[in-house]
Amino acid sequence: MKHIKLGDLEVSRIGLGTMGMNAFYTGHSQDEAESIRTIHRAFDLGVTFIDTAEVYGPFTNEELVGRAVKGRRDKVVVATKFGFLSHSGRAAGSLDSSPASIRTAVEGSLKRLGTDYIDLYYQHRVDPDTPIEETVGALAELVAEGRIRHIGLSEAGVGTIRRAHAVHPVTALQSEYSLWTRDPEAEVLSVLRELGIGFVPYSPLGHGFLTGQIRSTDDLADDDWRKTNPRFMGENFQRNLRVADEVKAVADEVGATPAQVALAWLLAQGDDIAPIPGTKRVQRVEENTAADSIELSAEHIAKLDNLTPAAGDSHNEAGKRLLER
């Protein structure tokens, strides 16, 4: 597996997102043993970058990752996130990146992960009630204390990124980016490169849609959050099948799977990008990591650049309110 740099943090250029093992997707929390096998298989294939968050479960995903990395901790870059849950008394459902909440959050994450440091600690969403300077100031103290080693942001806009980076270097931004969610290209990517900040795309396979494996929402459980996502609803879903089919056509031409092509396209966008496709199955992690060896031609990249635009917003109204776009 090739490696890249997020700021000065070296990671495998394909990581592993573990959210779906414990939350939000069909079949979550059903087979912990398979989830741990999947994480271990990723490590064996050269993945060194694993992503979790306190809100996944909540808490149970960090515990799972902690069990999986035991005995391999010094060989793995562990990223987790804070801010969706309040530890300072704010109302349930409120974002909280206040220094007091961060202090409690990091201690909980360290305990659940079974470690004495976190490699990359992200603010999960920008807290409108806490100045970013206060948040990053608290994180800088944790860096000085050795509890965290690098600071990250998630779904932050360019103004917040600049203000945060002025307080303490930001190592990485994690935001949604894929063949059907191209928003970061407008402004964010150029600012990240100006400041030397790496980029970690989440949902690089379009929440599974770009794999071509989802042909009906009947395939999803009732509690699968994608059933509330505009791109998976009604006429949007039917229109977006065309996007998946266009990706498959390129995949057939290069002798790869649609998932591998979607990831290879992301990798071709720069050597400062490390997507974190999520899965809870060994077979899928083997498929995803194989994208590391796929080189797309200029012609194929051009075809993918010009896919039919996705129909519908990438988040529902509640989700959109949490994004700085």
Side-chain angles (χ1 to χ4, degrees), residues 29 31 38 94 117 141 162 277 301:
S29 306
D31 192 341
T38 298
S94 298
Y117 68 94
E141 291 177 2
R162 288 187 183 280
I301 290 174

Side-chain angles (χ1 to χ4, degrees), residues 16 21 31-45 64 68 72 279-283 285-286:
L16 174 63
M21 296 176 179
D31 192 341
E32 179 177 303
E34 175 67 6
S35 292
I36 290 179
R37 281 194 295 272
T38 298
I39 294 171
H40 287 171
R41 183 59 176 147
F43 294 161
D44 293 342
L45 291 168
L64 174 73
R72 312 188 191 207
T279 185
K280 52 183 179 290
R281 297 186 180 91
V282 169
Q283 178 184 356
V285 86
E286 291 173 343

Side-chain angles (χ1 to χ4, degrees), residues 234-290:
E235 292 184 3
N236 288 342
F237 183 92
Q238 297 304 317
R239 291 173 183 159
N240 287 331
L241 289 174
R242 179 178 174 183
V243 183
D245 291 341
E246 290 173 356
V247 176
K248 185 178 186 305
V250 173
D252 289 343
E253 290 180 12
V254 303
T257 68
Q260 290 167 343
V261 163
L263 291 170
W265 176 84
L266 270 176
L267 297 175
Q269 304 310 302
D271 59 4
D272 52 359
I273 293 176
I276 48 168
T279 185
K280 52 183 179 290
R281 297 186 180 91
V282 169
Q283 178 184 356
R284 294 297 177 216
V285 86
E286 291 173 343
E287 175 185 356
N288 293 342
T289 54

Side-chain angles (χ1 to χ4, degrees), residues 18-19 21-22 39 50-69 78-82 85 87 104-115 118 120-121:
T18 62
M19 180 185 78
M21 296 176 179
N22 290 95
I39 294 171
I50 188 165
D51 184 270
T52 181
E54 68 169 2
V55 77
Y56 301 161
F59 308 127
T60 54
N61 193 242
E62 285 185 326
E63 293 170 349
L64 174 73
V65 169
R67 288 191 287 274
V69 303
V78 175
T80 191
K81 313 176 200 73
F82 68 90
L85 303 177
H87 303 284
T104 301
V106 74
E107 294 304 329
S109 290
L110 289 167
K111 181 177 180 180
R112 289 185 292 273
L113 290 165
T115 185
I118 293 165
L120 178 56
Y121 200 42

